[in-house]
Amino acid sequence: MNEHDFLAQRFEEHRAHLRAVAYRMLGSLTEADDAVQEAWLRLSRSGSERVENLGGWLTTVVGRVCLDMLRTRASRREEPMETRLPEPIVTGADALDPEHEVLLADAVGLALLVVLETLAPAERLAFVLHDMFAVPFDEIAPVVGRTPAAARQLASRARRRVQGTAAVPDADLGRQREAVDAFLTAARGGDFEALIAVLDPDVVARSDGGALRPGALVRGAEAVAGQAITFARLAEVARPCLVNGAAGVVAATDGVPVSVMAFTVSGGRIVEINILRDPERLKALDLAAPGA
């Protein structure tokens, strides 16, 4: 085995981990793969002779690449962040495959990624690398161009935002599915009271329709229930799936997916609904299994 092949083999041992880091940083599998590929290019150019901890070195390199991508994204962003959804990971209704289990370890639900989208790029990096992957602040500091103490403060601010905003979902998938099924049944039947019963009073529904369809943010059980009834037709064609490991549904007409709905269920009630309706982004998702 030559030196290049040996280096490639070592890199592949870390690929799944690096992809998980990048997905949490970017909320997009496509961009995550681009970031991981860039890390490989940097490694292949520099070599690993002077790298004592290759996994740690690659993690910080991916973090640096993602930070640059986030800053570029923020500078050209036109759509409101509150209605821009991260890219969901959609799988069959029963279980995740091993690749997705690695990506979604530590319950990285869509609702958490939505909160991460609201963080400043440096805050997001400090929080993801330290709180999710235990990277020391001494290693995070040079990536964000701050002192270790300042990097710690970035992570602390991000942590407060996450803890104050992201709902803690019920761990029992069966309980999640029970609430989602009750929601769909009520929507199909136009049963307003049944919808109110399964929705948290402060429920939030967020819809991302893409560049040509304005997004929407609806708050409160009555408003969300009223909206759900107007979309009863989609509820008729909804099929169960997992969205980032939690109960969700895919709605399709004539075999073409028209929406993916991710639910956050806490205390047996739905506290958040995130709906992706963007045709271009839906087209890019692998939805064959849920729609089968």
Side-chain angles (χ1 to χ4, degrees):
M1 182 182 295
N2 61 38
E3 183 179 348
H4 181 273
D5 290 343
F6 177 68
L7 192 61
Q9 183 182 68
R10 292 189 67 197
F11 179 82
E12 286 302 319
E13 293 171 359
H14 298 282
R15 180 182 289 275
H17 165 78
L18 298 175
R19 196 166 182 243
V21 172
Y23 179 62
R24 286 155 179 75
M25 282 292 300
L26 300 169
S28 163
L29 287 175
T30 304
E31 291 183 349
D33 287 336
D34 290 343
V36 172
Q37 183 61 22
E38 176 62 24
W40 160 246
L41 292 175
R42 295 188 186 189
L43 176 65
S44 61
R45 286 195 296 263
S46 63
S48 63
E49 295 84 1
R50 289 173 292 179
V51 177
E52 293 183 10
N53 178 358
L54 183 60
W57 186 87
L58 286 170
T59 298
T60 55
V61 167
V62 165
R64 194 183 302 273
V65 171
C66 290
L67 184 62
D68 291 341
M69 293 171 75
L70 285 175
R71 286 170 171 165
T72 300
R73 182 195 294 176
S75 69
R76 66 171 185 242
R77 188 188 298 276
E78 296 179 358
E79 72 278 8
M81 284 194 297
E82 64 183 9
T83 57
R84 169 72 179 182
L85 290 180
E87 180 182 330
I89 296 176
V90 184
T91 52
D94 298 324
L96 295 170
D97 60 40
E99 179 184 356
H100 288 137
E101 283 182 356
V102 173
L103 271 173
L104 298 175
D106 304 319
V108 183
L110 202 65
L112 174 58
L113 289 175
V114 167
V115 178
L116 294 182
E117 289 281 312
T118 68
L119 302 177
E123 290 177 344
R124 186 168 183 170
L125 179 135
F127 176 78
V128 168
L129 290 190
H130 181 267
D131 285 42
M132 294 185 171
F133 295 99
V135 177
F137 288 117
D138 286 350
E139 296 178 21
I140 295 172
V143 179
V144 294
R146 311 282 183 91
T147 65
R152 183 186 298 275
Q153 285 299 314
L154 288 173
S156 179
R157 285 203 300 269
R159 193 179 306 118
R160 287 195 298 270
R161 182 69 176 268
V162 169
Q163 292 173 347
T165 309
V168 179
D170 291 340
D172 186 341
L173 185 58
R175 195 175 189 195
Q176 293 180 32
R177 179 60 61 194
E178 185 178 324
V180 172
D181 288 347
F183 173 85
L184 292 174
T185 298
R188 289 166 184 149
D191 190 335
F192 187 81
E193 294 303 319
L195 282 166
I196 293 293
V198 76
L199 295 171
D200 184 87
D202 298 318
V203 63
V204 174
R206 184 180 291 101
S207 176
D208 178 356
L212 301 179
R213 300 180 181 181
L217 185 69
V218 180
R219 298 181 185 275
E222 291 193 1
V224 173
Q227 185 184 61
I229 287 176
T230 65
F231 289 104
R233 183 179 61 83
L234 284 181
E236 290 288 349
V237 294
R239 296 293 178 267
C241 67
L242 294 180
V243 181
N244 285 57
V249 296
V250 171
T253 57
D254 298 324
V256 178
V258 293
S259 71
V260 171
M261 299 178 70
F263 295 83
T264 303
V265 178
S266 183
R269 285 189 166 190
I270 296 169
V271 298
E272 189 166 329
I273 306 172
N274 288 299
I275 310 165
L276 182 62
R277 300 184 298 114
D278 181 353
E280 292 304 312
R281 297 175 72 197
L282 287 170
K283 199 182 304 179
L285 297 178
D286 179 10
L287 302 179

